[in-house]
Amino acid sequence: MSTLSVNTIKALGNSVPVFQNSSGVEKGQIIKSWITFVGEGTVSIRQSFNVSSITDNGTGDYTITYATAFSNTTYCLVGSATEDEDGGAGNRGQFILSPTRAAHAAGSSRVHTMNCTNGNLFNCGRIEVHVIGDN
């Protein structure tokens, strides 16, 4: 087994590098976009990659806009939501983050955070999303 230790991996062309086995079969891709943001009070980005903005559309409803759009709308978006930002103790419900029923757009995604107990949309303190696809 060999170990490659470098500071930068650079593609030869315009595409993102992919990971292949010794036979040249693709084994993985790099996450193309991620964000962690505050979804309650003043909605704001904590940190992100390939995200230009976050929009608060109302209770538990957000639009993530990508700095570089995806080449199509069939990317994979997953994430998590936590009720409070600092992980404080107390009687907290179970929360889920999901894409809305609307189809993804190449340049943005709309997501909801909701309470699993009653299904109501809910503003969560810590929301984290990552996206894999072609851009």
Side-chain angles (χ1 to χ4, degrees), residues 27-91:
K27 292 303 209 178
Q29 291 187 4
I30 296 171
I31 292 175
K32 305 297 177 70
S33 180
W34 63 265
I35 182 173
T36 175
F37 68 97
V38 177
E40 64 184 357
T42 301
V43 174
S44 60
I45 297 173
R46 278 194 194 85
Q47 290 187 317
S48 68
F49 172 74
N50 191 31
V51 171
S52 62
S53 65
I54 183 80
T55 303
D56 182 358
N57 301 310
T59 302
D61 185 357
Y62 312 93
T63 299
I64 301 165
T65 302
Y66 304 112
T68 300
F70 287 83
S71 61
N72 56 54
T73 60
T74 58
Y75 51 83
C76 176
L77 178 147
V78 295
S80 63
T82 304
E83 181 175 356
D84 45 18
E85 183 177 354
D86 60 6
N91 294 322

Side-chain angles (χ1 to χ4, degrees), residues 87-99:
N91 294 322
R92 297 191 310 250
Q94 300 298 313
F95 298 90
I96 188 168
L97 176 130
S98 69

